[in-house]
């Protein structure tokens, strides 16, 4: 063994080339809480990666503050290794992550290091690309309108708050209201929502690559999510970027940008990508911590003045590229956790105004058993309707109207016996619609089945069924429809439409199956 | 520190332009005693010295060598301009060779420590 080491050293020494040259260096003058103040390095760039030469090896840091006489930097590695007097060298590079197809199915940290003990990420290093964590968003000319749906597999979302590929849709709600569940369902649904047929008569949907960014989450929760994705066979097209609560604030701060950079790699390849930021409240907290430690002036709720820009520049990178640029897309689903349903707090209002709509989840609805606990009145999608399939548009228009009428009449449910027949019917319809929109976790429903389920509810096929039996009976009808009249579902799936012929077939099949 | 080193440096340079260096230095010592920053006087005086050298067009040079034997101060000093300040330091960590730092941020590192570090990186 020692012989081998000596031989290796001999080779290294023989091949050593002395290239002593003038270099820019700095000195650590203050260090603490993951922050280092460095003198010198007057030519350092903002966001540049630095190497701190500590006694125990090199430690990376990022330039955050460029001041007159010193620079404020955030230490990325083990801050315990850095001490006052350590020399600091510039790298001339901004923070970047190595991305490639090898990332799929893996759990990585925001710097691209694998965390899942599955070995190296890339077998072929020639296919790796360096993507900067901070990059400007695609310009106006590089984009086109959102035109393809991103189905979540959740009836309430796909029907009433449709999301398009390239859109930014906020998922907002209190703790334990099912925010992550919606995001997970969306990831799981991408497997069954892919349609291979692309042609003049078919409108295909490409496989969506998913990136789940966990910021400040418990390690146990991240492990559970990875396990669920593995069980549902969804991990193979997913990348998990993990910055748990135990990681330093600097790592948590970088995580969404790393996730976005990975998404951009797939978008630039012409693929469709979905990135979930779970959650941006904790991301804002980590940025607040760094900013306060760097002595930046605090603003409202002690957040720094540029907290809006932080999230705006991150979410603005979600885009649908035009055909000339490959037609790829990056959809963003940021998550925000509210405190006691207060959507008027600083960070929620910021992100609401940045995104193209929000899915608002309510604790009250959750505890009433309405799951997913989506408040259809406060939830909105500003651009998704243009991407919604014709079939879904056809059935969901009536659903929205019926549900809106039901919400108005809901207060009178207790006095149902004193109401006129028309109002009673509206309430009964509303109750059945609410029931049909209920769904369990981790079981997203294919879009064509959603269309049929909503069609049944809005066209009175379930009106004479007891409310508590609506879900089971509708599931049974759809299951039988799939077995006996699979061509109807297939046609809706392939053409994204429900033409008169299909509707007539569906009507006769439903009448037939209702009696089974 | 009540005020930063740079504040003291700026104040001293400003005051020295209006009065003599001696008077400004007296005033600075009184001020440091008053503010309780006298314990940082070494750091402040060095910063003032550095600023004065730079203002006169000189450079603040720091030369580090591993052992006393190789330190030929006079031979080194002749290599630089008279305006430059040349400081010497023995640093055994360098193993061998010389490291020259200019104005605290430019470095020419020709030490064995650096070469070994690169070799085993």
């Amino acid at each position: 063994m020692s012989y081998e080491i000596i031989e290796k050293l001999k080779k290294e020494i023989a091949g050593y080339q002395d290239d002593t040259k003038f270099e820019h260096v700095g000195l650590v003058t203050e260090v603490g809480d993951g922050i280092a103040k460095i003198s010198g390095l007057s030519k350092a760039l903002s966001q540049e990666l630095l190497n701190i030469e500590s006694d125990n090896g090199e430690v990376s840091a990022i330039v955050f503050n460029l001041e007159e006489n010193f620079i404020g930097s955030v230490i990325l590695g083990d801050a315990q290794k850095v001490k006052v007097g350590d020399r600091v060298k510039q790298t001339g590079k901004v923070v970047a992550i190595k991305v490639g197809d090898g990332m799929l199915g893996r759990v990585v940290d925001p710097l691209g290091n694998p965390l899942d003990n599955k070995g190296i990420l890339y077998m072929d290093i020639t296919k790796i690309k360096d993507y900067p964590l901070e990059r400007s968003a695609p310009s106006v000319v590089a984009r086109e309108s959102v035109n393809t749906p991103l189905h979540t597999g959740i009836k309430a979302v796909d029907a009433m708050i449709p999301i398009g590929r390239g859109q930014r849709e906020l998922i907002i709600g209190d703790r334990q209201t099912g925010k992550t569940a919606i995001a997970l369902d969306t990831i799981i649904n991408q497997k069954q929502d892919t349609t291979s047929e692309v042609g003049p008569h078919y409108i295909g949907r490409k496989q969506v690559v998913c990136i789940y960014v966990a910021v400040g989450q418990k390690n146990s929760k991240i492990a559970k999510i990875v396990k669920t994705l593995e069980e549902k066979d969804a991990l193979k097209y997913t990348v998990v970027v993990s910055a748990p609560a135990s990681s330093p604030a600097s790592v948590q701060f970088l995580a969404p940008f790393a996730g976005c950079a990975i998404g951009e790699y797939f978008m630039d390849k012409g693929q469709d990508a979905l990135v979930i930021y779970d959650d941006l409240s904790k991301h804002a907290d980590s940025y607040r911590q760094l900013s306060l430690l760097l002595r930046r002036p605090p603003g409202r709720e002690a957040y720094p003045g540029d907290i809006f820009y932080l999230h705006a520049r991150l979410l603005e990178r979600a885009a649908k590229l035009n055909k000339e640029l490959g037609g790829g897309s990056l959809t963003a689903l940021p998550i925000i956790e509210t405190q006691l349903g207060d959507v008027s707090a600083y960070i929620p209002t910021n992100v609401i105004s940045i995104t193209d709509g929000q899915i608002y989840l309510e604790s009250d609805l959750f505890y009433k058993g309405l799951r997913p606990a989506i408040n259809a009145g406060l939830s909105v999608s500003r651009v998704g309707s243009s991407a919604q399939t014709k079939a879904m548009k056809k059935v969901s228009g009536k659903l929205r109207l019926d549900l809106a009428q039901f919400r108005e009449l809901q207060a009178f449910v207790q006095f149902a016996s004193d109401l006129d027949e028309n109002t009673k019917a509206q309430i009964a319809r509303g109750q059945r619609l609410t029931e049909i929109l209920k769904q369990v976790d981790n079981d997203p429903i294919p879009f064509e089945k959603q269309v049929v389920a909503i069609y049944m509810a809005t066209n009175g096929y379930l009106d004479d069924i007891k409310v508590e039996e609506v879900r089971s009976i509708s599931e049974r009808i759809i299951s039988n429809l799939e077995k006996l009249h699979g061509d109807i579902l297939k046609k809706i799936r392939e053409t994204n439409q429900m033409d008169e012929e299909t509707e007539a077939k569906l009507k006769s099949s439903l009448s037939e199956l209702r009696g089974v | 520190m009540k005020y930063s080193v740079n504040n003291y440096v700026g104040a001293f340079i400003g005051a020295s332009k209006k009065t003599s260096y001696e008077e400004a230095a007296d005033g600075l010592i009184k001020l440091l005693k008053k503010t309780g920053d006298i314990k940082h006087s070494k750091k402040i005086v060095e910063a003032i010295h550095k600023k004065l050298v730079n203002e006169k067009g000189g450079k603040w040079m720091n030369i580090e060598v591993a052992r006393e034997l190789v330190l030929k101060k006079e031979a080194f000093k002749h290599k630089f301009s008279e305006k430059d300040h040349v400081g010497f330091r023995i640093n055994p960590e360098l193993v061998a060779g010389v490291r020259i730092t200019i104005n605290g941020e430019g470095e020419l590192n020709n030490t064995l420590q650096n070469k070994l570090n690169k070799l085993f990186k």
Side-chain angles (χ1 to χ4, degrees), chain A residues 278-469:
Chain A
D278 193 1
D279 63 69
L280 288 190
S281 310
K282 292 191 182 75
H283 180 238
D285 290 350
S286 67
Y287 188 55
R288 173 170 62 183
Q289 183 183 329
L290 292 178
S291 298
L292 291 174
L293 288 168
L294 284 161
R295 311 262 171 102
R296 287 184 180 178
R300 184 177 158 188
E301 290 176 30
Y303 289 105
D306 64 340
I307 191 82
F308 184 91
Y309 175 56
L310 172 82
H311 287 152
R313 72 175 189 259
L314 172 72
L315 293 168
E316 196 57 23
R317 284 159 74 177
K320 167 81 182 138
L321 295 181
N322 61 27
K323 297 273 181 299
E324 288 75 38
L325 290 167
S329 72
L330 178 63
T331 313
L333 291 183
I335 293 177
I336 288 281
E337 188 182 292
T338 52
Q339 306 292 328
L340 294 170
D342 182 15
V343 286
S344 63
Y346 191 27
I347 304 302
T349 46
N350 275 357
V351 184
I352 285 171
S353 69
I354 295 164
T355 48
D356 305 312
Q358 69 276 349
I359 298 169
Y360 182 56
L361 302 167
E362 263 185 7
S363 310
D364 288 351
L365 295 175
F366 188 84
Y367 296 123
K368 272 183 198 166
L370 187 74
R371 295 171 198 184
I374 297 169
N375 181 326
L378 290 179
S379 301
V380 65
S381 174
R382 292 187 196 114
V383 294
S385 61
S386 56
Q388 203 172 24
T389 57
K390 283 183 181 168
M392 186 59 93
K393 225 176 228 176
K394 196 170 182 178
V395 294
S396 66
K398 204 153 183 281
L399 172 77
R400 275 179 166 278
L401 196 68
D402 286 352
L403 270 179
Q405 284 173 345
F406 173 62
R407 274 199 299 275
E408 278 183 15
L409 298 170
Q410 216 168 6
F412 304 111
V413 171
Q414 287 165 7
F415 316 108
S417 56
D418 303 331
L419 300 171
D420 64 279
E421 284 307 310
N422 193 24
T423 312
K424 270 188 198 171
Q426 279 182 345
I427 290 172
R429 175 68 60 85
Q431 285 172 328
R432 276 149 190 85
L433 286 174
T434 311
E435 202 58 31
I436 206 132
L437 292 179
K438 286 182 185 172
Q439 233 173 291
V440 291
D441 277 0
N442 302 331
D443 191 19
I445 297 168
F447 131 83
E448 63 276 10
K449 287 185 183 172
Q450 292 183 29
V451 170
V452 173
I454 296 165
Y455 184 86
M456 278 195 299
T458 51
N459 287 283
Y461 287 91
L462 305 172
D463 284 355
D464 51 356
I465 296 168
K466 281 184 192 166
V467 175
E468 52 271 22
E469 287 176 359

